[in-house]
Amino acid sequence: MAKSPGIGSKAPVFVLDGVLLTDGEVERRSYRLAEANGRPLVLVFYPGDDTPVCTRQLCSYTSDLERFKGLGAQLWGISPQDLDSHERFARKHGLGFPLLADPDRAVARAYGIAVPGLGLRRSVFVLDEDGAVRWKHVALAGLTFQHSDTLAEQLAALKA
């Protein structure tokens, strides 16, 4: 298994299909890490759609989406479920940022967070405008998540 990228290293590149819910309409398209160049990106790896902790986590981030945007950042969620599952999850909870499908866990493996037989570790990576990892949290058990305040502090530190 690959090691998780270190602070200051370039984030592993990827292309994943995803869904984005905007005003009740869903757009499906491919997302490339290179698209985020020029602005910070928060990558949120979560184990599963519509599970209790993941739902609380992603709903809290949606509630604070304007705060992230105010810091110039984008936020993308990544999990192993397919696009249909992501669309149901986004619609049910009004999630307002892209949910990307990593069904073979190739991106989770590239980020060193795949767990054989279990899926992936709940993780967050904050990337700077050049695609370098500036902060990360990889959970051991994944029963809690990093709150918006922590992510906003890390994003604000990029501007300092």
Side-chain angles (χ1 to χ4, degrees), residues 133-144:
V133 176
R134 293 298 168 201
W135 182 85
K136 68 179 180 177
H137 180 268
V138 178
L140 293 179
L143 301 176
T144 62

Side-chain angles (χ1 to χ4, degrees), residues 8-59:
S9 66
K10 284 288 194 181
V13 297
F14 63 82
V15 178
L16 290 174
D17 290 334
V19 300
L20 175 60
L21 178 67
T22 307
D23 298 323
E25 297 296 318
V26 171
E27 174 190 16
R28 291 184 179 209
R29 69 176 182 87
S30 291
Y31 287 81
R32 300 174 184 281
L33 184 63
E35 286 177 41
N37 285 348
R39 39 190 304 212
L41 175 64
V42 178
L43 294 178
V44 178
F45 288 88
Y46 66 100
D49 291 342
D50 223 12
T51 58
V53 177
C54 295
T55 299
R56 283 194 307 275
Q57 179 183 20
L58 274 59
C59 285

Side-chain angles (χ1 to χ4, degrees), residues 26-148:
V26 171
E27 174 190 16
R28 291 184 179 209
R29 69 176 182 87
S30 291
Y31 287 81
R32 300 174 184 281
L33 184 63
E35 286 177 41
N37 285 348
R39 39 190 304 212
L41 175 64
V42 178
L43 294 178
V44 178
F45 288 88
Y46 66 100
D49 291 342
D50 223 12
T51 58
V53 177
C54 295
T55 299
R56 283 194 307 275
Q57 179 183 20
L58 274 59
C59 285
S60 75
Y61 295 165
T62 290
S63 294
D64 284 332
L65 206 50
E66 289 306 314
R67 184 179 186 189
F68 295 129
K69 288 179 182 176
L71 291 164
Q74 301 177 73
L75 186 110
W76 295 354
I78 302 174
S79 78
Q81 290 74 44
D82 64 21
L83 295 182
D84 290 339
S85 177
H86 284 344
E87 182 174 338
R88 284 190 302 273
F89 186 41
R91 285 186 184 282
K92 182 176 180 180
H93 298 287
L95 303 176
F97 54 90
L99 301 179
L100 285 54
D102 184 21
D104 62 0
R105 295 173 182 82
V107 176
R109 281 193 303 278
Y111 279 75
I113 59 168
V115 179
L118 294 176
L120 58 84
R121 295 188 188 281
R122 184 179 313 280
S123 306
V124 180
F125 293 82
V126 174
L127 311 182
D128 68 15
E129 62 279 352
D130 297 320
V133 176
R134 293 298 168 201
W135 182 85
K136 68 179 180 177
H137 180 268
V138 178
L140 293 179
L143 301 176
T144 62
F145 58 90
Q146 295 299 301
H147 291 275
S148 295

